[in-house]
Amino acid sequence: MESSSKTTVGGQPVRRRRVPAAVVVVLVLLACVDTTIGVVSCVADDVSSDLSDQEMACCWEDGATPAWMSGQMGIRIPEAASDRRAGHKGGQRYDTGLLSFVLPADEAETYTGRLIRNGTKMIGNFHPEKKDYRPAAAFGHLGLPEPETLVEGLRKISLCPDELTTPEGKYLQRCVDLFTHGFEPGTTRIYVRSTIEPSMTPPPASKAP
């Protein structure tokens, strides 16, 4: 008696179903598309990162010394201030100025008290930005952390020269975002950011005060 090589169920031969060739082709194409999308996404991320790095490094003007920026903002730098830093970044619609310096904590408190209107208080950073926050004009260009990412010891306020008649506020030339950060016991860093008209170009670095 001959034996059959076909599998049977209940005495009936069972036919093995073949996957149609068209289905196989579609599955292969979908796999290729998925892989391609992944590659394109990675490339796009790299390009975006490169563009961001270029934008962050672009358009910083030489000659923007702390003394020059102080005059443009109307933020007077106390004589006791150390580690003075400044930057000026050109933009399409407006420029941005950065100024920073360090004071002993008690002198920083006195300085901000002479700048801010009576009855006005600086507030804490209750909604900090993420650590990788990169504003268009970053303090990172000056080798400093972004004050918007700091929480402990950070206070901030926005000021405009309109009717500001305090001892230091009367010199203010532009609206500014002011941050103070007690980054170590007894020491406070002042951060100031302001928009500046594009026509206000810093002097050449060799002639800057």
Side-chain angles (χ1 to χ4, degrees):
M1 182 179 295
E2 295 181 359
S3 61
S4 174
S5 61
K6 295 181 179 180
T7 304
T8 62
V9 176
Q12 298 295 324
V14 177
R15 295 181 180 179
R16 295 179 179 176
R17 295 182 179 178
R18 294 183 178 180
V19 178
V23 174
V24 174
V25 172
V26 170
L27 292 174
V28 171
L29 287 175
L30 288 175
C32 291
V33 169
D34 185 60
T35 301
T36 302
I37 291 174
V39 172
V40 171
S41 177
C42 290
V43 172
D45 288 343
D46 289 341
V47 171
S48 176
S49 177
D50 290 342
L51 288 176
S52 179
D53 290 341
Q54 291 176 10
E55 291 171 355
M56 295 295 291
C58 174
C59 311
W60 290 95
E61 302 282 353
D62 293 332
T65 64
W68 183 85
M69 188 56 66
S70 169
Q72 297 304 311
M73 292 181 175
I75 292 288
R76 301 202 306 171
I77 302 176
E79 292 184 4
S82 61
D83 194 14
R84 306 177 184 194
R85 310 186 194 191
H88 179 278
K89 183 171 184 175
Q92 293 182 349
R93 298 180 60 185
Y94 56 83
D95 297 350
T96 303
L98 304 178
L99 179 65
S100 180
F101 50 88
V102 172
L103 287 170
D106 56 345
E107 293 193 32
E109 190 72 23
T110 300
Y111 175 75
T112 55
R114 290 173 54 82
L115 179 62
I116 299 168
R117 184 179 287 109
N118 290 336
T120 302
K121 300 291 185 181
M122 300 183 73
I123 63 172
N125 191 11
F126 303 117
H127 303 285
E129 297 288 350
K130 295 181 179 179
K131 292 299 182 182
D132 59 354
Y133 174 62
R134 303 176 76 185
F139 277 97
H141 180 74
L142 306 181
L144 298 171
E146 305 308 321
E148 293 90 345
T149 67
L150 304 173
V151 177
E152 186 175 354
L154 192 285
R155 295 186 301 161
K156 62 180 182 177
I157 194 170
S158 294
L159 299 171
C160 284
D162 301 338
E163 300 180 359
L164 190 60
T165 58
T166 56
E168 289 295 332
K170 65 184 180 182
Y171 297 104
L172 195 63
Q173 298 294 314
R174 293 176 171 80
C175 292
V176 300
D177 292 325
L178 175 73
F179 306 84
T180 65
H181 181 226
F183 64 97
E184 61 183 38
T187 307
T188 298
R189 177 173 289 281
I190 307 291
Y191 296 82
V192 190
R193 180 186 282 116
S194 178
T195 56
I196 296 177
E197 294 84 351
S199 60
M200 304 302 295
T201 304
S206 59
K207 298 181 180 179

